[in-house]
Amino acid sequence: MAETEIRARFPRPKPWIEAIHAYVPGKSTGKDGQPLIKLSANENPLGTSPLALAAKARVPALYPDPDSKALRARLGDLHGIDPARIIMGTGSDELLNLAAQGYAGPGDEVIYVRYGFAVYDIAARRCGATPVVAPDADYGTDVDALLALVNDRTRVVFIANPNNPTGSFLPKGDIARLHAGLPSDVLLVIDQAYCEYVAPEDEDGAMALAAANKNVFVTRTFSKIFGLAGERIGWGTGADEIVSTLNRIRGPFNVSSTGQAMAVAALNDLAFVERCRVHNRDERARFVDKIVTLGNYGLRPLPSQANFVLVLFEGELTAEEAFEGLAGRGYIVRWLPNQGLPHGLRITIGRRHDTDAIAEALREMAERT
Ligand code: PMP
């Protein structure tokens, strides 16, 4: 057999899988591998509830409960949801992927916004669906632009609220309008990874939509305000039909025993969550105020309801230079050229002295350029 024929017989990935650009996680080291203070992955700078940390030690190393019963019961209690309508995931990432896989395939379209969370693109492509990107409105989510793209092939619409990496937030009325404008056979996935950072009186109504409609799926995570990113625990809720569809295709033991125990304990320490929300609200406001004063150097912080701020560099100092300058001072933030934002740095709100040091460093660099 000719050599070329032998080569032709290697397994070939599906073309839609080959088209995927792998997710790039937030880094924790600089170019030469030195550890940096990590403000690149929107983790909780205040750590994890001590109750959750204490629960970790008490878990046997056997297979986990495949149905996360205790955790779903606690979540159901807390949110007034029948636990049968709650599904757990290996992070909310797993659930976002399952939502696309369960409802879209080759020939179908999946819509999300430009400057949205990178996983939506991967989730759409890996099931062979066609990703369709809606234009933004000054970096925010534009409901009319999303609705204008809906057609007979649309199967799933993803939005994050607050959105990553912009931090923008759609109020309840806009979320309701988006849902009302979608055909009832299009699944609306509302990704609430950062919702605990929003003031309770401003909540976006996603949970009520998921409770009352057959085409809304809401995802949440323990990775952000609960500080349990390493345990990989997310959850989602929607109609019985959605939850049972996704349960058929999830990993059978997708949430570890330790993760389940820690998450239950974390839900028993909501005072910790409230402390983290208030810390983030106050430090974010202080940080934004400082960056606003650098407006004459072209720095523009976008309004954020999340635990990070996207700062645009529209003057002499470039985002890349600022990124390198911060790394030289011991901080790693997120520079986003791969997401169409070569002029943006997404900066996680850290402890007060770190956030202050970053603002100060940006001032120094802007003044020097
Ligand atoms: N949604 C959004 C908007 C996110 O930013 C993230 C984390 N970067 C996730 C979902 C996924 O988080 P996890 O899988 O840790 O729950």
Coordinates of all heavy atoms in Angstrom, one line a residue, residues 103-180:
Y103 N -30.1 20.2 22.5 CA -31.1 20.9 21.7 C -30.6 21.4 20.3 O -31.5 21.9 19.6 CB -31.7 22.1 22.5 CG -32.5 21.5 23.7 CD1 -31.9 21.3 24.9 CD2 -33.8 21.2 23.5 CE1 -32.6 20.8 26.0 CE2 -34.5 20.6 24.6 CZ -33.9 20.4 25.8 OH -34.6 19.9 26.8
A104 N -29.4 21.2 20.0 CA -28.9 21.7 18.7 C -27.9 20.7 18.1 O -27.3 19.9 18.8 CB -28.2 23.1 18.9
G105 N -27.9 20.7 16.8 CA -27.0 19.8 16.1 C -26.7 20.4 14.7 O -27.0 21.5 14.4
P106 N -26.1 19.6 13.8 CA -25.8 20.0 12.5 C -27.0 20.6 11.8 O -28.1 20.0 11.8 CB -25.3 18.8 11.7 CG -24.7 17.9 12.8 CD -25.6 18.2 14.0
G107 N -26.8 21.8 11.2 CA -27.9 22.5 10.5 C -28.7 23.4 11.4 O -29.5 24.3 10.9
D108 N -28.5 23.4 12.7 CA -29.1 24.3 13.6 C -28.2 25.5 13.9 O -27.0 25.4 13.8 CB -29.5 23.6 14.9 CG -30.4 22.4 14.7 OD1 -31.3 22.5 13.8 OD2 -30.3 21.4 15.5
E109 N -28.8 26.5 14.5 CA -28.1 27.7 14.8 C -28.2 28.0 16.3 O -29.2 27.8 17.0 CB -28.6 28.9 14.0 CG -28.3 28.8 12.5 CD -28.7 30.0 11.7 OE1 -29.2 30.9 12.2 OE2 -28.4 29.9 10.5
V110 N -27.0 28.4 16.9 CA -27.0 28.8 18.3 C -26.5 30.3 18.3 O -25.4 30.6 17.7 CB -26.0 27.9 19.0 CG1 -25.7 28.4 20.4 CG2 -26.5 26.5 19.0
I111 N -27.2 31.1 19.0 CA -26.9 32.6 19.0 C -26.3 33.0 20.4 O -26.8 32.5 21.4 CB -28.2 33.4 18.7 CG1 -28.9 33.0 17.4 CG2 -27.9 34.9 18.7 CD1 -30.2 33.7 17.1
Y112 N -25.4 33.9 20.3 CA -24.8 34.5 21.5 C -24.2 35.8 21.1 O -24.1 36.1 19.9 CB -23.8 33.6 22.2 CG -22.7 33.1 21.3 CD1 -21.6 33.9 21.0 CD2 -22.9 31.8 20.7 CE1 -20.7 33.4 20.1 CE2 -21.9 31.4 19.8 CZ -20.8 32.2 19.5 OH -19.9 31.7 18.6
V113 N -23.9 36.7 22.1 CA -23.4 38.0 21.8 C -21.9 38.0 21.6 O -21.2 37.2 22.2 CB -23.8 39.0 22.9 CG1 -25.2 39.3 23.0 CG2 -23.2 38.7 24.2
R114 N -21.5 38.9 20.7 CA -20.1 39.3 20.6 C -19.6 39.7 21.9 O -20.4 40.3 22.7 CB -20.1 40.5 19.6 CG -18.7 40.8 19.2 CD -18.9 41.9 18.1 NE -17.5 42.3 17.7 CZ -17.2 43.5 17.3 NH1 -18.1 44.5 17.3 NH2 -16.0 43.8 16.9
Y115 N -18.4 39.5 22.3 CA -17.9 39.8 23.6 C -18.7 39.0 24.7 O -19.1 39.6 25.7 CB -17.9 41.3 23.9 CG -17.3 42.1 22.8 CD1 -18.0 43.3 22.4 CD2 -16.1 41.8 22.3 CE1 -17.4 44.0 21.4 CE2 -15.5 42.6 21.3 CZ -16.2 43.7 20.8 OH -15.7 44.4 19.8
G116 N -19.0 37.8 24.4 CA -19.7 36.9 25.3 C -18.7 35.9 25.9 O -17.5 35.9 25.6
F117 N -19.2 35.0 26.7 CA -18.4 33.9 27.3 C -17.9 32.9 26.2 O -18.7 32.4 25.5 CB -19.2 33.3 28.4 CG -18.4 32.2 29.2 CD1 -17.1 32.4 29.5 CD2 -19.0 31.0 29.6 CE1 -16.4 31.4 30.2 CE2 -18.4 30.1 30.3 CZ -17.0 30.2 30.6
A118 N -16.6 32.7 26.2 CA -16.0 31.9 25.2 C -16.6 30.4 25.0 O -16.5 29.8 24.0 CB -14.5 31.8 25.4
V119 N -17.1 29.9 26.1 CA -17.6 28.5 26.1 C -18.8 28.4 25.2 O -19.0 27.3 24.6 CB -17.9 28.0 27.5 CG1 -18.8 26.8 27.6 CG2 -16.6 27.7 28.2
Y120 N -19.6 29.4 24.9 CA -20.8 29.3 24.1 C -20.4 28.9 22.7 O -21.1 28.1 22.0 CB -21.6 30.6 24.0 CG -22.0 31.1 25.4 CD1 -22.2 32.5 25.6 CD2 -22.1 30.3 26.5 CE1 -22.5 33.0 26.8 CE2 -22.4 30.8 27.7 CZ -22.6 32.2 27.9 OH -22.9 32.7 29.1
D121 N -19.3 29.5 22.2 CA -18.9 29.1 20.8 C -18.4 27.7 20.8 O -18.8 27.0 19.8 CB -17.7 30.1 20.5 CG -17.2 29.8 19.1 OD1 -17.8 30.3 18.1 OD2 -16.1 29.1 19.0
I122 N -17.7 27.2 21.8 CA -17.2 25.8 21.8 C -18.4 24.9 21.9 O -18.5 23.9 21.2 CB -16.3 25.6 23.0 CG1 -15.0 26.5 22.8 CG2 -15.9 24.2 23.1 CD1 -14.0 26.5 24.0
A123 N -19.4 25.3 22.8 CA -20.6 24.4 23.0 C -21.4 24.3 21.7 O -21.8 23.2 21.4 CB -21.4 25.0 24.1
A124 N -21.5 25.4 21.0 CA -22.2 25.3 19.7 C -21.5 24.4 18.7 O -22.1 23.5 18.1 CB -22.4 26.7 19.1
R125 N -20.2 24.6 18.6 CA -19.5 23.9 17.5 C -19.3 22.5 17.8 O -19.3 21.6 17.0 CB -18.1 24.5 17.4 CG -18.1 25.9 16.8 CD -16.7 26.5 16.6 NE -16.7 27.9 16.4 CZ -16.8 28.4 15.1 NH1 -16.9 27.6 14.1 NH2 -16.8 29.7 14.9
R126 N -19.2 22.1 19.1 CA -18.9 20.7 19.4 C -20.0 19.8 19.1 O -19.9 18.6 19.0 CB -18.3 20.5 20.8 CG -19.1 20.7 21.9 CD -18.3 20.5 23.2 NE -18.9 19.6 24.1 CZ -18.4 19.2 25.2 NH1 -17.2 19.6 25.5 NH2 -19.0 18.3 26.0
C127 N -21.3 20.4 19.0 CA -22.4 19.5 18.6 C -22.7 19.7 17.1 O -23.7 19.2 16.6 CB -23.6 19.7 19.5 SG -24.2 21.4 19.5
G128 N -21.9 20.4 16.4 CA -22.0 20.5 15.0 C -23.0 21.6 14.6 O -23.2 21.8 13.4
A129 N -23.5 22.4 15.5 CA -24.4 23.5 15.2 C -23.6 24.7 14.7 O -22.4 24.8 14.9 CB -25.2 23.9 16.4
T130 N -24.3 25.7 14.1 CA -23.6 26.8 13.5 C -23.7 28.0 14.5 O -24.8 28.4 14.9 CB -24.3 27.3 12.2 OG1 -24.3 26.1 11.3 CG2 -23.6 28.5 11.6
P131 N -22.5 28.5 15.0 CA -22.6 29.7 15.9 C -23.0 30.9 15.2 O -22.5 31.2 14.0 CB -21.2 29.8 16.5 CG -20.3 28.9 15.6 CD -21.2 28.1 14.7
V132 N -23.9 31.7 15.7 CA -24.3 33.0 15.1 C -24.1 34.1 16.2 O -24.6 34.0 17.3 CB -25.8 32.9 14.8 CG1 -26.3 34.3 14.2 CG2 -26.0 31.8 13.7
V133 N -23.3 35.1 15.8 CA -22.9 36.1 16.8 C -23.6 37.4 16.6 O -23.6 38.0 15.5 CB -21.3 36.3 16.6 CG1 -20.9 37.4 17.6 CG2 -20.6 35.0 16.8
A134 N -24.3 37.9 17.7 CA -25.0 39.1 17.6 C -24.1 40.3 17.9 O -23.3 40.2 18.8 CB -26.2 39.1 18.6
P135 N -24.3 41.4 17.2 CA -23.5 42.6 17.6 C -23.8 43.1 18.9 O -25.0 42.9 19.4 CB -23.9 43.6 16.5 CG -25.1 43.1 15.8 CD -25.2 41.6 16.1
D136 N -22.9 43.8 19.5 CA -23.1 44.4 20.9 C -23.6 45.8 20.8 O -23.7 46.4 19.7 CB -21.7 44.4 21.6 CG -20.8 45.3 20.8 OD1 -20.5 45.0 19.6 OD2 -20.3 46.4 21.3
A137 N -24.0 46.3 21.9 CA -24.4 47.8 22.0 C -23.4 48.4 23.0 O -23.6 48.2 24.2 CB -25.8 47.9 22.5
D138 N -22.4 49.1 22.5 CA -21.3 49.6 23.3 C -20.8 48.5 24.3 O -20.8 48.8 25.5 CB -21.7 50.9 24.0 CG -20.4 51.6 24.5 OD1 -19.3 51.3 24.0 OD2 -20.5 52.4 25.5
Y139 N -20.5 47.4 23.8 CA -20.0 46.2 24.6 C -21.0 45.5 25.4 O -20.8 44.5 26.0 CB -18.8 46.6 25.4 CG -17.7 47.2 24.6 CD1 -17.5 48.6 24.4 CD2 -16.7 46.4 24.0 CE1 -16.5 49.1 23.7 CE2 -15.7 46.9 23.3 CZ -15.6 48.2 23.1 OH -14.6 48.7 22.3
G140 N -22.3 46.0 25.5 CA -23.3 45.4 26.3 C -24.2 44.5 25.4 O -24.0 44.5 24.2
T141 N -25.0 43.7 26.0 CA -25.9 42.8 25.3 C -27.1 43.6 24.7 O -27.7 44.4 25.4 CB -26.5 41.7 26.3 OG1 -25.3 41.0 26.8 CG2 -27.4 40.8 25.6
D142 N -27.3 43.4 23.4 CA -28.4 44.1 22.7 C -29.5 43.1 22.4 O -29.4 42.3 21.5 CB -27.7 44.7 21.4 CG -28.7 45.5 20.6 OD1 -29.9 45.4 20.8 OD2 -28.2 46.4 19.8
V143 N -30.6 43.3 23.1 CA -31.7 42.3 23.0 C -32.3 42.4 21.5 O -32.5 41.3 20.9 CB -32.9 42.7 24.0 CG1 -34.1 41.9 23.7 CG2 -32.4 42.4 25.4
D144 N -32.4 43.6 21.0 CA -33.0 43.6 19.6 C -32.0 43.0 18.6 O -32.5 42.3 17.7 CB -33.2 45.1 19.2 CG -34.2 45.7 20.1 OD1 -35.3 45.1 20.3 OD2 -33.9 46.8 20.7
A145 N -30.7 43.1 18.8 CA -29.8 42.5 17.8 C -29.9 41.0 17.9 O -29.8 40.3 16.9 CB -28.4 43.0 18.2
L146 N -30.1 40.5 19.2 CA -30.2 39.0 19.3 C -31.5 38.5 18.6 O -31.4 37.6 17.9 CB -30.3 38.7 20.8 CG -29.0 38.6 21.6 CD1 -29.2 38.6 23.1 CD2 -28.2 37.4 21.3
L147 N -32.6 39.2 18.9 CA -33.9 38.8 18.3 C -33.9 38.9 16.8 O -34.5 38.1 16.1 CB -35.0 39.6 18.9 CG -35.3 39.4 20.4 CD1 -36.4 40.3 20.9 CD2 -35.7 37.9 20.6
A148 N -33.1 39.9 16.3 CA -33.1 40.0 14.8 C -32.5 38.8 14.1 O -32.7 38.6 12.9 CB -32.4 41.3 14.5
L149 N -31.7 38.1 14.8 CA -31.0 36.9 14.2 C -31.8 35.6 14.3 O -31.3 34.6 13.8 CB -29.6 36.7 14.9 CG -28.6 37.9 14.6 CD1 -27.4 37.7 15.5 CD2 -28.2 37.9 13.1
V150 N -32.9 35.6 15.0 CA -33.6 34.4 15.2 C -34.3 34.0 13.9 O -34.9 34.9 13.2 CB -34.7 34.6 16.3 CG1 -35.6 33.3 16.4 CG2 -34.0 34.9 17.7
N151 N -34.2 32.8 13.5 CA -34.9 32.2 12.3 C -35.3 30.8 12.6 O -35.2 30.3 13.7 CB -34.0 32.4 11.1 CG -32.8 31.6 11.2 OD1 -32.8 30.5 11.8 ND2 -31.7 32.1 10.7
D152 N -35.8 30.1 11.6 CA -36.3 28.7 11.7 C -35.3 27.8 12.2 O -35.6 26.7 12.7 CB -36.9 28.2 10.4 CG -38.2 28.9 10.0 OD1 -38.7 29.6 10.9 OD2 -38.6 28.7 8.9
R153 N -34.0 28.1 12.0 CA -32.9 27.2 12.3 C -32.4 27.4 13.8 O -31.7 26.6 14.3 CB -31.7 27.3 11.4 CG -32.0 26.9 9.9 CD -30.8 27.0 9.0 NE -30.4 28.4 8.9 CZ -31.0 29.3 8.1 NH1 -32.0 29.0 7.3 NH2 -30.5 30.5 8.0
T154 N -32.8 28.5 14.4 CA -32.4 28.8 15.7 C -32.9 27.8 16.7 O -34.1 27.6 16.8 CB -32.9 30.2 16.2 OG1 -32.5 31.2 15.2 CG2 -32.2 30.6 17.5
R155 N -32.0 27.3 17.5 CA -32.4 26.3 18.5 C -32.1 26.7 20.0 O -32.8 26.4 20.9 CB -31.7 24.9 18.3 CG -32.0 24.3 17.0 CD -33.3 23.4 17.0 NE -34.5 24.1 17.4 CZ -35.3 24.8 16.6 NH1 -35.2 24.7 15.3 NH2 -36.4 25.4 17.1
V156 N -31.0 27.5 20.1 CA -30.5 27.9 21.5 C -30.0 29.3 21.4 O -29.3 29.7 20.5 CB -29.4 26.9 22.0 CG1 -28.9 27.3 23.4 CG2 -29.8 25.5 22.0
V157 N -30.3 30.1 22.4 CA -29.8 31.4 22.6 C -29.1 31.4 24.0 O -29.7 31.1 25.0 CB -30.8 32.5 22.6 CG1 -30.2 33.9 22.9 CG2 -31.5 32.6 21.2
F158 N -27.8 31.8 24.0 CA -27.1 31.9 25.3 C -26.9 33.3 25.7 O -26.4 34.2 24.8 CB -25.6 31.3 25.1 CG -25.5 29.9 25.1 CD1 -25.2 29.2 23.9 CD2 -25.7 29.1 26.3 CE1 -25.0 27.8 24.0 CE2 -25.5 27.7 26.3 CZ -25.2 27.1 25.1
I159 N -27.2 33.7 26.9 CA -26.7 35.0 27.4 C -26.2 34.8 28.8 O -26.7 33.9 29.6 CB -27.8 36.1 27.4 CG1 -28.9 35.8 28.4 CG2 -28.3 36.4 26.0 CD1 -29.5 37.1 28.8
A160 N -25.2 35.6 29.2 CA -24.7 35.6 30.5 C -25.1 36.9 31.1 O -25.0 37.9 30.5 CB -23.2 35.5 30.6
N161 N -25.6 36.8 32.4 CA -26.1 38.0 33.0 C -25.8 38.0 34.5 O -26.4 37.2 35.2 CB -27.7 38.1 32.8 CG -28.1 39.5 32.9 OD1 -27.5 40.5 32.5 ND2 -29.3 39.7 33.4
P162 N -24.8 38.8 35.0 CA -23.9 39.7 34.2 C -23.1 38.9 33.2 O -22.9 37.7 33.3 CB -23.0 40.3 35.3 CG -23.7 40.1 36.6 CD -24.6 38.8 36.5
N163 N -22.7 39.7 32.2 CA -21.9 39.1 31.1 C -20.4 39.1 31.4 O -19.9 40.0 32.1 CB -22.2 39.9 29.8 CG -21.5 39.2 28.6 OD1 -21.5 38.0 28.5 ND2 -21.0 40.0 27.7
N164 N -19.7 38.0 30.9 CA -18.3 37.9 31.0 C -17.8 38.0 29.5 O -18.3 37.2 28.7 CB -17.9 36.6 31.7 CG -16.4 36.3 31.6 OD1 -15.6 37.2 31.4 ND2 -16.0 35.1 31.8
P165 N -16.8 38.8 29.1 CA -15.9 39.6 29.9 C -16.3 41.1 30.1 O -15.5 41.8 30.7 CB -14.6 39.6 29.1 CG -15.1 39.6 27.7 CD -16.4 38.8 27.7
T166 N -17.5 41.5 29.7 CA -17.8 42.9 29.8 C -18.3 43.4 31.1 O -18.2 44.6 31.5 CB -18.9 43.3 28.8 OG1 -20.1 42.5 29.1 CG2 -18.4 43.0 27.3
G167 N -18.9 42.5 31.9 CA -19.5 42.9 33.2 C -20.9 43.5 33.1 O -21.5 43.9 34.0
S168 N -21.4 43.6 31.8 CA -22.6 44.3 31.6 C -23.8 43.5 32.1 O -23.7 42.3 32.2 CB -22.8 44.7 30.1 OG -22.9 43.5 29.4
F169 N -24.9 44.2 32.4 CA -26.1 43.5 33.0 C -27.4 43.9 32.4 O -27.6 45.1 32.1 CB -26.1 43.9 34.5 CG -27.2 43.2 35.3 CD1 -27.2 41.9 35.6 CD2 -28.3 44.0 35.7 CE1 -28.2 41.3 36.3 CE2 -29.3 43.4 36.5 CZ -29.3 42.1 36.7
L170 N -28.2 43.0 32.0 CA -29.6 43.3 31.5 C -30.6 43.3 32.6 O -30.7 42.2 33.3 CB -30.0 42.2 30.5 CG -29.4 42.3 29.1 CD1 -30.1 41.2 28.2 CD2 -29.6 43.6 28.4
P171 N -31.3 44.3 32.9 CA -32.3 44.3 33.9 C -33.5 43.4 33.5 O -33.6 43.0 32.4 CB -32.7 45.8 34.0 CG -32.3 46.4 32.8 CD -31.2 45.6 32.2
K172 N -34.3 43.1 34.6 CA -35.4 42.2 34.4 C -36.3 42.5 33.2 O -36.6 41.5 32.5 CB -36.3 42.4 35.7 CG -37.2 41.3 36.0 CD -38.1 41.6 37.2 CE -37.7 40.6 38.3 NZ -38.3 41.0 39.6
G173 N -36.6 43.7 32.9 CA -37.5 44.0 31.8 C -36.9 43.6 30.5 O -37.6 43.1 29.6
D174 N -35.6 43.7 30.3 CA -34.9 43.3 29.1 C -34.9 41.8 28.9 O -35.0 41.3 27.8 CB -33.5 43.9 29.0 CG -33.5 45.4 28.7 OD1 -34.5 45.9 28.3 OD2 -32.4 46.0 28.9
I175 N -34.6 41.2 30.1 CA -34.6 39.7 30.0 C -36.0 39.2 29.6 O -36.1 38.3 28.8 CB -34.2 39.1 31.4 CG1 -32.7 39.5 31.7 CG2 -34.4 37.6 31.4 CD1 -31.7 38.7 30.9
A176 N -37.0 39.8 30.2 CA -38.4 39.4 29.9 C -38.7 39.6 28.4 O -39.3 38.8 27.7 CB -39.4 40.1 30.8
R177 N -38.2 40.8 27.9 CA -38.5 41.1 26.5 C -37.7 40.2 25.6 O -38.3 39.7 24.5 CB -38.0 42.6 26.3 CG -38.4 43.2 25.0 CD -38.3 44.7 25.0 NE -36.9 45.1 25.1 CZ -36.1 45.3 24.0 NH1 -36.5 45.0 22.8 NH2 -34.8 45.7 24.2
L178 N -36.5 39.8 25.9 CA -35.8 38.8 25.1 C -36.6 37.5 25.1 O -36.8 36.9 24.0 CB -34.4 38.6 25.7 CG -33.6 37.4 25.1 CD1 -33.3 37.7 23.6 CD2 -32.2 37.3 25.8
H179 N -37.0 37.0 26.3 CA -37.8 35.8 26.3 C -39.1 35.9 25.5 O -39.4 35.0 24.7 CB -38.1 35.3 27.7 CG -38.9 34.1 27.8 ND1 -40.2 34.1 28.2 CD2 -38.6 32.8 27.5 CE1 -40.7 32.9 28.0 NE2 -39.8 32.1 27.7
A180 N -39.8 37.0 25.7 CA -41.1 37.1 25.0 C -40.9 37.2 23.5 O -41.8 36.8 22.7 CB -41.7 38.4 25.5

